[in-house]
Amino acid sequence: MSKNTAKTNLMRLAVLSIAVVGSMNCFMIPALAVIADAFPEASPTAIQMIMTFAMIGQFPMSVTSGFAGAKISQKKLLLFGVICIIAGGAMPMLLHGSIIYLYIGSLFMGIGQGIALTLMGSLINTLFTGKMRSQLLGWQNTVTMITLILISMLGGALASIQWTYIYLISFLGIPTLIFIALWLPKENPHSTEEELAENADLSGPKANRILSVPVILLLAFIFFFEIGFASINVNAAMLIEDRNIGGGAAWVAGLMSSFSYLISMVSGILYVYILKLSKEFILVTSAVSMTIGLFLSYASYSVFIYAVAQTFIFFGYSIGIVGGMEMVGRFVKPEWVSSCMGVFWGFDCIGTMVEPYLVNSITKFFSGEVTPGGALFVGGIFMAVTIVIAIILGMKGRSNFMDLKKKTRQSA
């Protein structure tokens, strides 16, 4: 193994380790009921806000860390972000006499996650090129899903012993901290042709400004895309109970959630092959799959149909998020990638945050009441809009996918 190959593999490991901490606060989900018992005076909304506070920290940091990463060391920013995640978990273990400390801990974790998610995508797009870049974009999604499954199981087990023990999971960020410190380059990467000549970036001309037409279309896509996806996230358990799917038991919702993670894992592994087939229309593939899944969910009255719907939804979601990150790297110059990635994740967060208000308001306006099924139908309409945006985006970005077309012709 050459020195350059070993160095590249260590960088890949360091970047993928960031995916482990990117959604770290999800370990609290199985423990919220136990936390509610520990704070009986707190309302259900107050308990749910423990998760919401992470988003409050994540949204502004997703945007600002992207722009900051274009000016200062991304390595230093990532070290700061991972430290915030670890500190956000350590605080509630030491200070838990008031729920306020849990909010502060979640806020710190959200700050760290905003930095981690934004700069992970930026590093993949600037440290790596060609097939290796596409593979890593898929693999980071798979690592994220594996982590979510494991920490959800571990969080539930620790919460059954003592609810404060769940915060021990945040210390899984320590290996990531070490890997970043040892193996990521000190200076921000701008070009990798010399180190990775065999993966030279032939993905076409780059935009002359950050907010080019393709990037604006991509931001519109991710905004509507997240509105559609959030509609299944917030209504899934209520739909299962409302329609008595599988008996309407809570374990059915949990089983479907685990099944969804599994679909996302597989999608991440298959991403590079789906990209070869879809090329510039990778987001069209995602949007069509998501739209089918949402309308199938709306029509679901059995576990089988609901499981098929989840397959379409989470296959499409994984491909859409990773495909969006791929397009950022293909559309803009390397020195602008972190800024665009920050805006990308910012619009992702905005779509998630406005979904309950926007979708529920539209559902109530047309049907007179808000039902889980009605909300999913409206979410499906939002997702259908992304198909149109994705088609236009694909047509605009054809020249940025010529490398894949050349390889297809050569292998024919």
Side-chain angles (χ1 to χ4, degrees):
M1 182 183 294
S2 68
K3 185 176 180 181
N4 278 348
T5 301
K7 180 180 178 182
T8 299
N9 287 336
L10 291 175
M11 285 194 298
R12 290 163 72 178
L13 180 59
V15 171
L16 288 175
S17 74
I18 301 170
V20 174
V21 299
S23 300
M24 182 67 78
N25 72 307
C26 290
F27 67 68
M28 289 183 277
I29 293 175
L32 287 180
V34 183
I35 293 174
D37 292 337
F39 296 95
E41 73 284 357
S43 67
T45 301
I47 297 298
Q48 292 170 354
M49 283 177 64
I50 296 172
M51 297 294 296
T52 306
F53 262 78
M55 184 64 72
I56 293 173
Q58 184 172 329
F59 168 61
M61 289 309 299
S62 294
V63 178
T64 57
S65 64
F67 284 94
K71 301 293 184 182
I72 60 179
S73 171
Q74 293 181 20
K75 180 174 182 174
K76 290 179 181 178
L77 282 173
L78 277 168
L79 289 173
F80 171 73
V82 178
I83 290 171
C84 283
I85 291 172
I86 297 171
M91 179 181 292
M93 286 192 65
L94 301 173
L95 303 169
H96 47 262
S98 169
I99 198 171
I100 296 296
Y101 296 122
L102 275 63
Y103 293 158
I104 297 173
S106 291
L107 185 67
F108 270 95
M109 294 193 79
I111 289 170
Q113 289 174 178
I115 295 172
L117 287 171
T118 299
L119 296 186
M120 176 176 63
S122 173
L123 286 170
I124 291 175
N125 273 305
T126 50
L127 279 173
F128 308 96
T129 54
K131 183 178 179 181
M132 187 181 293
R133 176 177 62 190
S134 299
Q135 283 181 331
L136 279 176
L137 286 170
W139 290 350
Q140 62 84 23
N141 181 77
T142 298
V143 171
T144 298
M145 292 304 116
I146 293 173
T147 302
L148 286 175
I149 293 172
L150 294 178
I151 66 175
S152 294
M153 294 170 57
L154 184 58
L158 291 173
S160 65
I161 302 172
Q162 166 64 34
W163 72 267
T164 57
Y165 290 174
I166 64 169
Y167 288 98
L168 287 168
I169 297 174
S170 65
F171 291 103
L172 291 174
I174 293 177
T176 300
L177 195 69
I178 295 171
F179 294 163
I180 292 171
L182 293 177
W183 298 327
L184 285 186
K186 294 180 181 179
E187 302 299 325
N188 291 346
H190 293 301
S191 179
T192 57
E193 282 79 8
E194 292 183 3
E195 290 184 2
L196 303 170
E198 70 276 14
N199 291 293
D201 193 349
L202 304 173
S203 57
K206 307 298 184 183
N208 292 322
R209 58 186 184 278
I210 295 178
L211 290 181
S212 60
V213 172
V215 172
I216 292 171
L217 286 170
L218 180 60
L219 297 180
F221 172 87
I222 196 63
F223 174 72
F224 287 104
F225 187 78
E226 278 300 334
I227 290 175
F229 180 66
S231 67
I232 188 68
N233 271 353
V234 300
N235 289 289
M238 291 185 288
L239 182 79
I240 289 171
E241 182 180 16
D242 187 54
R243 295 185 175 176
N244 201 36
I245 296 174
W251 68 266
V252 176
L255 179 63
M256 289 296 102
S257 178
S258 298
F259 175 68
S260 302
Y261 288 151
L262 180 62
I263 296 298
S264 292
M265 283 172 49
V266 175
S267 300
I269 295 170
L270 297 177
Y271 170 74
V272 67
Y273 305 104
I274 298 166
L275 177 66
K276 285 182 181 179
L277 293 173
S278 302
K279 300 178 183 66
E280 67 268 24
F281 294 112
I282 182 70
L283 295 186
V284 178
T285 302
S286 163
V288 169
S289 181
M290 287 280 285
T291 303
I292 292 171
L294 282 168
F295 284 128
L296 270 178
S297 295
Y298 166 72
S300 295
Y301 287 88
S302 69
V303 172
F304 176 74
I305 298 299
Y306 186 79
V308 172
Q310 292 289 94
T311 301
F312 276 102
I313 288 171
F314 281 86
F315 169 81
Y317 181 72
S318 297
I319 297 302
I321 289 294
V322 178
M325 295 168 67
E326 172 101 31
M327 286 196 161
V328 170
R330 286 176 176 270
F331 288 158
V332 305
K333 295 179 179 179
E335 58 266 31
W336 295 342
V337 166
S338 65
S339 301
C340 283
M341 197 63 69
V343 179
F344 175 83
W345 284 113
F347 272 73
D348 176 276
C349 289
I350 293 171
T352 301
M353 290 189 291
V354 304
E355 184 278 335
Y357 308 101
L358 191 58
V359 170
N360 288 348
S361 297
I362 294 173
T363 304
K364 189 173 183 179
F365 177 80
F366 284 104
S367 64
E369 62 177 340
V370 179
T371 63
L376 285 174
F377 185 82
V378 174
I381 293 173
F382 273 101
M383 194 58 67
V385 172
T386 68
I387 297 176
V388 179
I389 298 173
I391 291 172
I392 299 171
L393 183 60
M395 294 173 69
K396 287 280 187 182
R398 276 181 175 168
S399 61
N400 297 91
F401 287 81
M402 291 306 294
D403 57 316
L404 296 178
K405 295 183 179 182
K406 289 176 182 177
K407 290 177 181 178
T408 301
R409 292 194 202 103
Q410 290 170 359
S411 61

